[in-house]
Amino acid sequence: MSNDTTKEVTLAANEGIKVNSRYLRGTILEGLSDSSTGAVSGDDNQLLKFHGSYQQDDRDLRKQRRKEKLEKAFSFMIRVRVPGGVCSSEQYMKMLAISEKYADGALTFTTRQAFQFHRILKKDLKLAMKGINEALMTSIAACGDVNRNVMLNANPHASDLHEEVYQIALSVQDLLTPKTKAYDEIWMDVKPEQEEAETVEPLYGKTYLPRKFKVGMAVPPENDIDIYSQDLGYIAIEEKGKLTGFNVLVGGGMGMSHGNEKTYARLGSVIGFCTPDQVASVSENTVAIQRDFGDRTDRKHARFKYTIDDKGLDWFVKELAKRTGFTLEAAKPFEFISSGDAFGWIKGSNNLWSLTIHSNGGRVGDDTPSLKNGLKSLIELHQGEIRLTPNKNILLTGISDGNKLKMEAVVDEFKIGTIDHKSGARLNSIACVALPTCGLALSESSRHLPLFLDDFEAILNKNGLFNQPINVRITGCPNGCGRTPLAEIGLVGKAPGKWNLRLGASHSGDRLNLLYKQALTHEEILAELSPIVKAFADKREPEEGFGDFCMREGYVS
Ligand code: SF4
């Protein structure tokens, strides 16, 4: 909590909910057994987030339900934490089975490398949670004011380095996971212990963090996790294939609010270098600094990036050194070249193959039958490690030459490995979920992306740029779940059928885009982009990316 004791402060309402929750219990259990409504109380919905779930309703049905004097069509989302995006084939199949039994039959891959289920009814919520835990997975801290899923880039090439960094990512995940027993009691029927001691959450305390907190790790030159968007980022530094440590980056964040200039996207700042055995201390103390100094009065100003800007980067570096007892070394040189995924078959440094498959938006359901069934057949053959990529695609790794042959036949049968007919923009696109389930969405996003891409591809084709990799990202609001501020073409929902158009981020994810024009319709966006794409085709410099061109030519400045 803020150290400022000289003035009265009014804490955000969530602070009271947390402090009175008995370490995230609230009345969730009672709410689940109330069959008179498909909903839970507002306070419990806030606490459910820490358990990796929250209540939603089908916004497409709101009008009709109101007319019929029915309560909203409530259901629940569950997000399953997948540290580093890594799980086993068996776990994938179990998640798919849960989606079919309790959710809407679709498994969603998120931009933080998690699995997500939608449309789970309250009566099934506990059963789904049990199923997740029986698969040795968990949803705790997938949402809420705590550290979320620790990300790690997919790294199909650097298998050995990936494994080393993955083990560090797992240890950070464990270190920053809430310690309350509330999760086990509520979802696993574990008998409550006597009243828990004050030390139950040695890191977080009773009020956890002021807002969510995100940690990510990246092995250059791949930046698919958008390391600059993380609250705390670690950039792996290697010498001759061996990990020597990490450059530490703090204060990234993508969310902002329309019309509130005090909110903004911010790139993380590189503050120095630490050795692998210093990562735990840097992580724990950075979180503790945000716990102690983050703004708990205004949730729109509560992310770590604002603490960094309000107090100053130098102050943070000194405070971190004071708490850790060591000073970070100077940052080492590094270079990122792309924030996209490398599709198809790649032989890793361990001489085993990986296969990255484009998922067309990260939804594997009955509306995408060849992807769903093809992946099922592939994964049954694979029986090995799976990695979800931060671009919502999926990578099967550790494949022998013999198994590759068998898997190639499946890829051909279901036509899921080919990227031949997909443009560079489609392969580098992300959409958040938005309508109909996200309560914050101002416009369509995941349902609009395919329509946008169909029309945008026609423009690219006309200008001979079909294969040009361009990051296209769309979100239904400025909260940044799809990391739109780092898109070369970013569409941010402003109102139904209207988006703000943002241009000019770099393809490697180290420069934010800027607002080009506000509240444009689909047709207006295409009309704006058409001459810019033509100019790009005519005047770009060798190897120049679309975002760099937009910046250089002054479309945004
Ligand atoms: Fe919802 Fe906004 Fe996040 Fe999209 S970016 S999922 S609309 S909160």
Side-chain angles (χ1 to χ4, degrees):
M1 200 159 302
S2 169
N3 274 0
D4 189 349
T5 53
T6 57
K7 60 179 180 198
E8 290 266 318
V9 288
T10 309
L11 297 179
N14 287 53
E15 295 302 310
I17 297 171
K18 286 181 271 186
V19 86
N20 294 320
S21 73
R22 295 173 300 120
Y23 295 106
L24 310 180
R25 289 173 180 82
T27 54
I28 292 175
L29 261 181
E30 292 86 329
L32 290 175
S33 58
D34 177 1
S35 55
S36 68
T37 168
V40 295
S41 74
D43 284 6
D44 285 342
N45 192 29
Q46 293 306 317
L47 296 173
L48 261 184
K49 293 179 183 175
F50 292 77
H51 296 254
S53 176
Y54 48 83
Q55 181 176 298
Q56 304 185 309
D57 75 282
D58 188 330
R59 293 176 60 181
D60 288 349
L61 299 180
R62 274 187 189 174
K63 226 174 171 177
Q64 183 63 26
R65 306 268 304 181
R66 215 170 21 236
K67 226 160 106 191
E68 292 171 6
K69 299 200 173 1
L70 294 170
E71 71 173 11
K72 289 176 182 169
F74 292 115
S75 65
F76 292 81
M77 181 283 292
I78 301 180
R79 189 176 298 152
V80 180
R81 240 174 43 177
V82 189
V86 177
C87 69
S88 67
S89 292
E90 197 185 342
Q91 287 173 321
Y92 178 93
M93 296 304 267
K94 285 186 175 165
M95 293 306 107
L96 195 62
I98 289 169
S99 77
E100 285 167 346
K101 196 161 176 192
Y102 302 117
D104 58 1
L107 193 54
T108 302
F109 311 150
T110 77
T111 51
R112 276 200 87 71
Q113 300 176 286
F115 288 120
Q116 203 157 284
F117 305 107
H118 288 275
R119 298 179 190 268
I120 298 177
L121 298 179
K122 189 168 86 173
K123 68 179 178 53
D124 292 328
L125 195 54
K126 197 161 168 171
L127 295 167
M129 288 286 202
K130 275 194 171 159
I132 290 162
N133 283 268
E134 277 160 17
L136 303 181
M137 301 189 87
T138 181
S139 61
I140 192 164
C143 322
D145 299 343
V146 280
N147 174 58
R148 304 279 183 90
N149 199 40
V150 173
M151 294 176 76
L152 166 61
N153 55 355
N155 295 121
H157 306 91
S159 357
D160 298 337
L161 204 56
H162 180 274
E163 178 56 27
E164 205 176 344
V165 179
Y166 173 57
Q167 291 305 326
I168 296 170
L170 280 183
S171 66
V172 173
Q173 185 78 75
D174 286 349
L175 184 71
L176 303 181
T177 294
K179 306 293 181 249
T180 176
K181 299 281 188 303
Y183 186 88
D184 293 347
E185 283 173 29
I186 293 171
W187 309 110
M188 266 19 87
D189 295 324
V190 171
K191 216 169 153 262
E193 290 171 2
Q194 295 291 317
E195 192 61 30
E196 290 185 87
E198 281 295 307
T199 51
V200 67
E201 293 283 14
L203 174 59
Y204 291 117
K206 280 189 172 178
T207 46
Y208 294 83
L209 294 179
R211 282 285 266 124
K212 59 187 162 189
F213 194 88
K214 299 179 174 179
V215 179
M217 300 190 159
V219 182
E222 286 149 20
N223 188 22
D224 51 10
I225 79 157
D226 278 325
I227 192 80
Y228 292 96
S229 70
Q230 311 290 326
D231 288 292
L232 172 61
Y234 291 98
I235 300 167
I237 304 295
E238 51 134 341
E239 263 172 42
K240 298 181 186 142
K242 296 268 170 263
L243 182 72
T244 59
F246 298 89
N247 281 349
V248 180
L249 170 153
V250 294
M254 296 289 98
M256 47 189 153
S257 302
H258 288 311
N260 182 349
E261 282 177 12
K262 287 192 194 148
T263 67
Y264 48 84
R266 184 187 190 281
L267 291 182
S269 313
V270 176
I271 57 167
F273 171 88
C274 74
T275 56
D277 61 350
Q278 291 174 330
V279 167
S281 180
V282 170
S283 302
E284 200 167 29
N285 284 295
T286 300
V287 167
I289 292 170
Q290 168 62 356
R291 174 198 67 201
D292 296 343
F293 292 95
D295 186 351
R296 291 182 186 261
T297 64
D298 176 3
R299 287 182 68 79
K300 288 196 182 302
H301 187 259
R303 289 292 300 273
F304 183 45
K305 60 185 174 183
Y306 301 120
T307 313
I308 292 280
D309 282 348
D310 291 349
K311 310 282 291 179
L313 202 54
D314 290 346
W315 169 86
F316 173 77
V317 172
K318 280 186 198 138
E319 183 68 23
L320 183 65
K322 194 168 91 189
R323 293 185 184 220
T324 58
F326 57 81
T327 306
L328 297 176
E329 291 175 39
K332 315 273 185 208
F334 63 95
E335 189 191 14
F336 289 115
I337 53 171
S338 167
S339 57
D341 288 337
F343 294 100
W345 292 99
I346 288 171
K347 198 164 210 174
S349 56
N350 56 359
N351 272 329
L352 295 171
W353 293 93
S354 67
L355 170 64
T356 306
I357 294 172
H358 184 244
S359 77
N360 258 337
R363 189 182 151 87
V364 181
D366 295 331
D367 46 352
T368 55
S370 55
L371 182 66
K372 181 174 178 176
N373 297 326
L375 272 177
K376 233 175 172 174
S377 303
L378 268 183
I379 290 169
E380 271 161 9
L381 270 177
H382 177 44
Q383 292 306 323
E385 185 181 280
I386 286 172
R387 296 179 198 162
L388 305 179
T389 84
N391 291 309
K392 296 182 152 199
N393 298 310
I394 184 165
L395 186 154
L396 281 53
T397 188
I399 302 165
S400 65
D401 287 336
N403 220 15
K404 178 173 181 273
L405 273 178
K406 290 186 213 153
M407 289 166 81
E408 276 171 343
V410 178
V411 163
D412 287 348
E413 182 189 341
F414 289 92
K415 301 190 174 32
I416 54 172
T418 174
I419 53 170
D420 291 351
H421 304 296
K422 294 180 179 176
S423 66
R426 194 175 292 267
L427 292 172
N428 286 276
S429 63
I430 296 180
C432 72
V433 176
L435 292 169
T437 48
C438 176
L440 300 174
L442 303 169
S443 71
E444 294 284 352
S445 175
S446 58
R447 296 195 292 202
H448 185 66
L449 180 69
L451 309 174
F452 174 77
L453 286 170
D454 286 348
D455 289 342
F456 186 56
E457 277 176 349
I459 295 174
L460 292 170
N461 239 338
K462 212 164 104 186
N463 291 284
L465 290 168
F466 190 76
N467 294 320
Q468 174 71 28
I470 302 174
N471 296 338
V472 176
R473 297 179 182 175
I474 172 168
T475 49
C477 84
N479 273 339
C481 304
R483 304 192 291 271
T484 28
L486 283 165
E488 289 174 283
I489 298 176
L491 274 57
V492 179
K494 185 78 198 286
K498 291 192 176 173
W499 296 265
N500 285 356
L501 176 59
R502 302 180 67 90
L503 299 172
S506 63
H507 189 69
S508 59
D510 60 1
R511 187 183 60 240
L512 296 170
N513 57 25
L514 293 167
L515 180 64
Y516 173 68
K517 285 202 176 164
Q518 293 207 51
L520 302 178
T521 62
H522 171 66
E523 290 73 21
E524 287 167 341
I525 291 169
L526 294 170
E528 292 291 340
L529 286 176
S530 188
I532 303 178
V533 170
K534 181 169 181 347
F536 177 57
D538 293 343
K539 298 199 281 185
R540 69 176 164 153
E541 289 175 353
E543 306 299 319
E544 189 173 33
F546 185 74
D548 293 343
F549 174 80
C550 288
M551 217 38 120
R552 181 172 62 79
E553 283 288 309
Y555 289 104
V556 282
S557 59

